Amino acid sequence: LKEENAILRSKINKLQILSETQADKMRKLEKKLEENKIKEEKEAQDLEAMVQHVEQNLQLMAKRAAKAENSAAKLRQENAQLQ
């Protein structure tokens, strides 16, 4: 009976160590997952900011192009009048 108890205690100790090791791994993985979530959120925010910046630049370029077209049309009109 004593020998059986000793064997069972040994198994319990091994299982406790295994459980602690797995709990440790789980905590590390949860921490890594949280870090990855935070990193992905930041990257998503950065990409959104970049997209907004590009959209603003496109709007400015469209305005400049419209002004340039108007200017070219006026210059063509002036040129036609002068001729």
Side-chain angles (χ1 to χ4, degrees), residues 36-52:
N36 285 344
K37 281 183 185 178
I38 291 169
K39 183 180 176 183
E40 286 179 12
E41 287 172 4
K42 186 184 181 319
E43 288 175 354
Q45 289 172 352
D46 290 347
L47 284 173
E48 182 62 31
M50 192 183 308
V51 166
Q52 288 177 358

Side-chain angles (χ1 to χ4, degrees), residues 14-68:
K14 287 178 184 177
L15 289 173
Q16 284 176 334
I17 291 170
L18 179 63
S19 175
E20 289 171 6
T21 303
Q22 288 176 341
D24 234 12
K25 283 182 183 179
M26 187 133 164
R27 280 189 292 274
K28 288 177 183 178
L29 288 172
E30 286 173 344
K31 183 179 178 184
K32 190 171 184 176
L33 178 63
E34 187 62 30
E35 289 171 354
N36 285 344
K37 281 183 185 178
I38 291 169
K39 183 180 176 183
E40 286 179 12
E41 287 172 4
K42 186 184 181 319
E43 288 175 354
Q45 289 172 352
D46 290 347
L47 284 173
E48 182 62 31
M50 192 183 308
V51 166
Q52 288 177 358
H53 185 70
V54 168
E55 286 174 348
Q56 289 172 351
N57 284 345
L58 286 173
Q59 288 174 352
L60 287 173
M61 288 171 54
K63 286 180 184 177
R64 286 184 197 149
K67 285 181 183 178

